[in-house]
């Protein structure tokens, strides 16, 4: 009702994939990672480990250290589909999320799509709508484009290391309603 406060924790949302959903990229960190450092001088990337009985990818940074990783490429539809990025995470600092794509005007450019904020010890899931990013830049190549997920973060200025955990990251698309 108007003027009332609605808490998601009081009424958890649920989401089910339709039978028409496609998963062109799905990383579970079961054995290895499909992310690699962008800066070849840096060696920070996700490595598989178990946290809270979950198989996750982890990056640990000290103060002043950064990570800048890129996924393997996925082919995404540009028209007539709803496309989004789903990330389940637990992090002690912020992560910037981008999508690297090529357009006629911007070849091999990382487009910032949002951010993940410190989760205060909780596992959270966030969804980023990629449809507007894909449609907002007129891609060469017709009805699909190749894209990479880019994640960037930095260690806090504390004596304790900063932990970043990703449990699951996937791109999902389905026909627009």
């Amino acid at each position: 009702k108007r003027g009332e406060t609605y808490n998601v924790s009081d009424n958890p949302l649920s989401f089910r994939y339709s039978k028409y959903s496609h998963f062109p990229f799905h990383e579970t960190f079961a054995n290895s990672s499909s992310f690699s450092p962008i800066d070849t001088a840096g060696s920070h990337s996700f490595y598989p480990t178990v946290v809270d009985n979950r198989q996750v990818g982890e990056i640990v940074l000290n103060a002043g250290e950064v990570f800048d990783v890129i996924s393997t490429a996925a082919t995404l539809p540009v028209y007539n589909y709803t496309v989004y990025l789903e990330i389940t995470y637990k992090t002690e600092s912020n992560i910037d999320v981008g999508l690297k794509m090529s357009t006629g005007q911007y070849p091999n450019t990382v487009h910032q799509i949002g951010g993940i904020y410190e989760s205060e010890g909780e596992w959270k899931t966030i969804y980023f709508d990629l449809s507007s990013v894909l449609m907002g830049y007129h891609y060469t190549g017709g009805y699909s484009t190749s894209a990479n997920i880019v994640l960037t973060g930095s260690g806090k200025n504390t004596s304790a290391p900063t932990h970043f955990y990703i449990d699951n990251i996937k791109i999902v698309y389905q026909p627009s309603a």
Side-chain angles (χ1 to χ4, degrees), residues 4-13:
E4 291 185 22
T5 301
Y6 176 80
N7 295 308
V8 174
S9 59
D10 296 338
N11 298 294
L13 302 173

Side-chain angles (χ1 to χ4, degrees), residues 23-29 33-38 45-46 67-76 83-88 95-101 109-114 116 126 128 130 133-134 145-152 166 168-172:
F23 302 88
F25 180 87
H26 188 188
E27 174 62 82
T28 62
F29 301 100
S33 173
S34 57
F35 285 87
S36 58
I38 292 175
S45 191
F46 289 103
F67 74 88
D68 195 13
V69 297
I70 188 167
S71 72
T72 54
T75 301
L76 307 179
V83 185
Y84 57 93
L85 173 64
E86 176 185 324
I87 303 175
T88 302
I95 300 175
D96 291 326
V97 181
L99 203 59
K100 181 180 178 186
M101 299 168 287
T109 300
V110 176
H111 304 280
Q112 189 68 28
I113 58 171
I116 294 174
I126 189 168
F128 296 99
L130 303 181
V133 175
L134 293 168
T145 189
S146 179
N148 305 78
I149 302 164
V150 176
L151 303 174
T152 304
I166 302 289
N168 202 327
I169 184 167
K170 58 187 138 195
I171 296 175
V172 183

Side-chain angles (χ1 to χ4, degrees), residues 33-162:
S33 173
S34 57
F35 285 87
S36 58
I38 292 175
D39 178 3
T40 54
S43 60
H44 297 290
S45 191
F46 289 103
Y47 64 91
T49 190
V50 176
V51 174
D52 300 334
N53 294 318
R54 296 172 180 241
Q55 186 70 43
V56 302
E58 176 186 39
I59 292 179
V60 180
L61 300 177
N62 293 313
E65 293 182 320
V66 298
F67 74 88
D68 195 13
V69 297
I70 188 167
S71 72
T72 54
T75 301
L76 307 179
V78 176
Y79 303 105
N80 302 319
Y81 285 88
T82 301
V83 185
Y84 57 93
L85 173 64
E86 176 185 324
I87 303 175
T88 302
Y89 66 96
K90 178 178 173 180
T91 180
E92 297 174 351
S93 189
N94 299 344
I95 300 175
D96 291 326
V97 181
L99 203 59
K100 181 180 178 186
M101 299 168 287
S102 289
T103 69
Q105 294 178 336
Y106 306 102
N108 292 316
T109 300
V110 176
H111 304 280
Q112 189 68 28
I113 58 171
I116 294 174
Y117 300 103
E118 184 176 338
S119 65
E120 301 173 352
E122 299 288 325
W123 285 101
K124 297 185 177 187
T125 300
I126 189 168
Y127 298 87
F128 296 99
D129 181 3
L130 303 181
S131 302
S132 59
V133 175
L134 293 168
M135 291 295 293
Y137 297 92
H138 301 285
Y139 292 100
T140 58
Y143 292 95
S144 65
T145 189
S146 179
N148 305 78
I149 302 164
V150 176
L151 303 174
T152 304
S154 61
K156 288 183 171 182
N157 287 328
T158 63
S159 59
T162 306

